[in-house]
Each structure stands twice: as structure tokens, then as C-alpha cells.
Amino acid sequence: MTSPAFAVVEEFERQMASFAGAKYGVAVASCTDALFLSCKYLKVGEVILLARTYISVPMAIIHAGGKVRFLDYHWTGKYLLTPYPIVDGALRMCRGMYNGGFHCLSFHMRKLLPIGRGGMILTDDERAVKWFCKARLDGRDGSVPFMQDKVDQEGWNCYMTPEQAARGLQLL
């Protein structure tokens, strides 16, 4: 999103990625969106999921075309959407937390970085970042004027607003 209005979103992505130890951060409207886009990108099949998780997690998997099988196991702060390299880290926020794959964060008002609403995908995968950036913006390329854009991939309306990103920068 190279529009001047979204420069603050890009700065929040850079600072959050640096804080977490990832190369890239892709800001989205919620952690559910981060999980959904990660599942869509990886074209998930069956996902083994923690039985005691927030309801939007299995819904994101199902909406992305996957199936869910629940297991009951102990976890704290984060867990893997097995067998995929997708981490639900909605309840964990600490320096250096990124350990690879697609680490999804939540910035809900009751979370550790309470900006009101928002999420992020942390990753080192540059190709995935390009896909996520277009996918979060209805399949559009944010650096091209709307009327000149040639949409060439599926997308959804799940970008983070500049206001949320500015709040994130203040609190980070």
C-alpha cells in the first residue's frame, strides 16, 4: 500500500516485524483475517486444531477451504495449526517471538497490544508477502491507482486502517 495515507501502516509493519524478529509483517484487520489468509495461501486441507480455541479460528480454516479436526492439548500463548507452518499467536507478544512460518497476531482491545482491532502475519517469505498484500486489498495492487489496476488474484477486504496502525506505533 504505497498511498501516502497508508505509510503509517507500512511503518507499523516494519517496526512490528523488527520487534518480533521477522523479515516482514503484513497488517490486516484482525487475527482471524491473518489466519484465513495464511490458510488460503497454503491451500490447507485437514488442520488439527486445539479444542479450546476461539470460534473464529476453525471458521477461518473452513472458509479457506480446509477441514478441522480437534484435539485437546495444553498450550500457552501460541499454538500451531498442525501440520501447517501457521501459528496462532493471538495471546502472545514478546520481543523475538517469531520462529518461522506464518505467525498470526491479534491487536484486539483485550490483547497485549490493544489498538482496538487489527492483526498481522509475520513471515520471512517474500513471495507470500506479495500475495498477502494483494489479497488483503481485494486482490488489488495498492501502489496502482484503482482505475488502472489489473486485478489478477483473488482478494478480500481485510486491510488495517491507518488509524489502527498509528495507535499500534504509539503503543509498540
Side-chain angles (χ1 to χ4, degrees):
M1 290 187 211
T2 55
S3 161
F6 284 91
V8 68
V9 175
E10 293 171 354
E11 183 60 24
F12 181 50
E13 291 170 333
R14 279 190 293 278
Q15 287 196 30
M16 191 71 228
S18 176
F19 173 83
K23 283 186 184 176
Y24 307 103
V26 179
V28 292
S30 69
C31 186
T32 301
D33 288 336
L35 292 164
F36 168 76
L37 291 177
S38 296
C39 288
K40 232 14 201 176
Y41 179 75
L42 292 175
K43 299 179 174 102
V44 298
E46 182 179 79
V47 177
I48 300 168
L49 189 60
L50 166 67
R52 294 187 177 115
T53 188
Y54 189 65
I55 190 66
S56 72
V57 178
M59 294 302 167
I61 294 164
I62 292 165
H63 289 299
K67 296 187 185 303
V68 177
R69 182 164 53 105
F70 291 102
L71 290 179
D72 198 5
Y73 59 91
H74 178 72
W75 68 282
T76 55
K78 67 175 185 168
Y79 61 91
L80 191 64
L81 277 62
T82 306
Y84 300 94
I86 302 170
V87 173
D88 181 350
L91 296 176
R92 184 170 186 249
M93 181 76 58
C94 61
R95 185 172 302 282
M97 68 185 141
Y98 179 72
N99 287 320
F102 304 107
H103 190 119
C104 301
L105 303 176
S106 176
F107 305 125
H108 186 274
M109 62 188 161
R110 295 186 336 200
K111 300 296 170 58
L112 297 171
L113 189 65
I115 67 174
R117 183 169 168 82
M120 189 170 292
I121 305 165
L122 300 170
T123 188
D124 288 343
D125 185 335
E126 184 176 5
R127 183 172 171 230
V129 168
K130 290 177 182 178
W131 188 90
F132 290 142
C133 286
K134 289 182 83 171
R136 72 178 171 188
L137 196 57
D138 300 311
R140 293 188 46 244
D141 178 343
S143 66
V144 177
F146 177 76
M147 297 305 285
Q148 297 171 10
D149 199 357
K150 304 225 185 312
V151 176
D152 61 0
Q153 84 172 52
E154 190 174 22
W156 299 267
N157 190 302
C158 56
Y159 60 89
M160 178 180 280
T161 66
E163 295 83 5
Q164 298 303 109
R167 179 77 174 136
L169 282 170
Q170 287 176 333
L171 295 175
L172 186 61

